[in-house]
Amino acid sequence: QVQLVESGGGLVQAGGSLILSCVASGRTLSSYAMGWFRQAPGRERESVAAIRWSDDRTYYADSVKGRITISGDNAKNTVYLQMDSLKPEDTAVYYCAADHDQTRVGYDYWGQGTQVTVSS
């Protein structure tokens, strides 16, 4: 059983920066991959970024490329989302997720989310 807890969200001005953290706890081995998702009011949840630990291969949504960086420490079961040049459209609840089964596409565990609000 794994619990994921996000932190670091808050209210920032447009153009500002935030770093989100996600820590996995409980009985678990290091994940195969971890990712960040977000859901804005009235919109579907969307993928933001992901990282595969074996080779640090990363994926980013087109809307955040160049502004957001995913990184982490798999040994500490921790992943970060560094966000820069934030825009009002980045406002959303951000969720982290962990993939512990590389044989199946998808994530096995999800956090509760942390709110990011970007004011103009």
Side-chain angles (χ1 to χ4, degrees), residues 29-98:
L29 298 175
S30 297
S31 62
Y32 166 72
M34 295 187 73
W36 286 93
F37 294 75
R38 67 186 181 187
Q39 187 168 18
R43 298 183 62 87
E44 298 293 322
R45 183 175 298 184
E46 64 177 343
S47 175
V48 177
I51 183 168
R52 184 172 63 194
W53 298 118
S54 60
D55 56 359
D56 284 342
R57 184 174 181 180
T58 57
Y59 296 87
Y60 296 98
D62 289 341
S63 60
V64 304
K65 285 182 178 178
R67 301 189 298 116
I68 292 181
T69 302
I70 187 170
S71 63
D73 186 343
N74 193 35
K76 297 181 178 179
N77 299 311
T78 302
V79 67
Y80 306 99
L81 191 70
Q82 183 184 87
M83 302 188 292
D84 192 28
S85 300
L86 286 165
K87 305 174 181 179
E89 52 262 42
D90 294 318
T91 295
V93 177
Y94 284 71
Y95 302 86
C96 69

Side-chain angles (χ1 to χ4, degrees), residues 4-9 20-22 36-39 45 92-97 110-116:
L4 303 177
V5 179
E6 303 97 335
S7 63
L20 307 183
S21 299
C22 175
W36 286 93
F37 294 75
R38 67 186 181 187
Q39 187 168 18
R45 183 175 298 184
V93 177
Y94 284 71
Y95 302 86
C96 69
W110 293 81
Q112 82 290 344
T114 185
Q115 177 72 48
V116 172

Side-chain angles (χ1 to χ4, degrees), residues 89-109:
E89 52 262 42
D90 294 318
T91 295
V93 177
Y94 284 71
Y95 302 86
C96 69
D99 180 3
H100 283 253
D101 184 358
Q102 62 184 306
T103 69
R104 180 181 63 84
V105 175
Y107 292 91
D108 304 294
Y109 303 99

